[in-house]
Amino acid sequence: FALLTGATVLLYLFALLTIIPEMNRYRSRKDFLRQASQIAGTQAVIDYKYEGYASSFYMQRIVPMVTDVETLRKYVNQAEPVFVLMESAHYDQLRRDEPEIFAQFEVMLDQSWQSATNPKQVRRMLLVKA
């Protein structure tokens, strides 16, 4: 009985420390999004292909989601500065495919998260000012 109880507790702790954080991206992005909100202040913030409600929830504002480059270009070319939330894959794609948009970006916040279940997998999110 003691062996079964110990194994159950160890399995629970393993799940709690490795699997649950992987599934709960809202909580893992909480600090990043709150810092992004402080940096942006009252300026406009848009979400470029980062799906989920965490940005609106933790930033306590409406964050429009942009999924195409033309809409992003319209936001970036406005007279007022705009902040853009995006993952590193989309940032790298813009650098490669849209150099005129990328030239207007200034990285304000950059944070990476290492996967608890696969240490070789790293997720990176950025807040850029355009």
Side-chain angles (χ1 to χ4, degrees), residues 7-129:
T8 303
V9 168
L10 288 175
L11 183 62
Y12 173 74
L13 289 174
F14 174 77
L16 188 66
L17 296 175
T18 58
I19 297 170
I20 303 288
E22 290 295 314
M23 295 178 354
N24 190 354
R25 292 188 184 184
Y26 294 123
R27 186 178 63 166
S28 65
R29 305 298 189 263
K30 177 181 177 178
D31 292 332
F32 174 83
L33 293 170
R34 287 194 174 159
Q35 288 176 17
S37 180
Q38 290 175 350
I39 291 170
T42 59
Q43 299 293 324
V45 177
I46 62 169
D47 180 347
Y48 182 65
K49 294 185 179 181
Y50 175 65
E51 298 177 6
Y53 300 107
S55 55
S56 294
F57 180 76
Y58 286 119
M59 296 181 84
Q60 295 295 304
R61 63 170 80 193
I62 296 172
V63 179
M65 184 176 168
V66 175
T67 57
D68 62 291
V69 175
E70 292 306 316
T71 308
L72 179 64
R73 183 175 282 121
K74 289 177 188 175
Y75 277 106
V76 168
N77 290 332
Q78 291 179 352
E80 295 181 13
V82 65
F83 289 88
V84 183
L85 291 167
M86 66 178 70
E87 293 178 330
S88 62
H90 303 298
Y91 182 77
D92 294 337
Q93 182 181 10
L94 285 173
R95 179 179 357 157
R96 190 176 51 251
D97 299 341
E98 303 291 336
E100 71 281 352
I101 294 176
F102 182 79
Q104 298 177 34
F105 286 165
E106 175 187 355
V107 176
M108 303 300 289
L109 188 59
D110 184 350
Q111 190 168 353
S112 299
W113 294 270
Q114 184 176 15
S115 171
T117 56
N118 182 5
K120 293 180 181 178
Q121 183 181 14
V122 176
R123 292 186 183 103
R124 184 172 157 225
M125 216 161 146
L126 300 123
L127 174 72
V128 295
K129 182 178 181 182

